[in-house]
Amino acid sequence: MAAFTVDGAFSGFSVDDIDAAKEFYGTTLGLEVESNPMGFLDLKLPGGGSILVYSKPNHTPASFTILNFPVADIDAAVDDLISRGVQTKIYSDAEFASDERGIVRGEGQGPDIAWFRDPAGNVLAVMQG
């Protein structure tokens, strides 16, 4: 019997305001969010996984995409996010050439993608599969 197993593995990331994160991930994005006994959040992903969100006083936003949402229609998804108050154009065109809504077209080189930030500044993305 091995002492180390991969059963129950999960990912996590930090935020600077756990209440703002709960509102954003639960209400704005519509994920199932549960507060756990340690005061952290458990994001329940529809596919069965979970992500731990914890408050960190000296939080620094991740400089990479921490969570991707595959979508069938990126234009409709971005319009929906914008209607929920999410800003999807977060990079300058010098960094990632995109349309006015922040959609970067893959043009056969990759997926169509639009990035956005959570209230703690962490980067998330919607991408057309």
Side-chain angles (χ1 to χ4, degrees), residues 13 24-25 29 31 43 51 62 64-69 81 86-88 90-91 113-127:
F13 61 87
F24 180 77
Y25 286 98
L29 297 186
L31 288 170
L43 301 182
I51 301 170
F64 53 88
T65 307
I66 62 165
L67 187 56
N68 294 287
F69 297 93
L81 286 169
V86 175
Q87 179 186 353
T88 55
I90 64 170
Y91 295 115
I113 188 168
W115 290 277
F116 57 100
R117 297 186 189 278
D118 72 4
N122 294 310
V123 179
L124 299 93
V126 288
M127 63 175 60

Side-chain angles (χ1 to χ4, degrees), residues 58-116:
N58 60 346
H59 165 76
T60 300
S63 61
F64 53 88
T65 307
I66 62 165
L67 187 56
N68 294 287
F69 297 93
V71 297
D73 181 340
I74 194 159
D75 293 284
V78 166
D79 288 345
D80 189 17
L81 286 169
I82 291 170
S83 76
R84 297 176 192 206
V86 175
Q87 179 186 353
T88 55
K89 186 163 179 73
I90 64 170
Y91 295 115
S92 71
D93 285 340
E95 293 174 286
F96 293 104
S98 64
D99 66 19
E100 67 280 351
R101 296 176 302 155
I103 300 173
V104 175
R105 305 293 174 175
E107 306 292 336
Q109 303 293 325
D112 292 348
I113 188 168
W115 290 277
F116 57 100

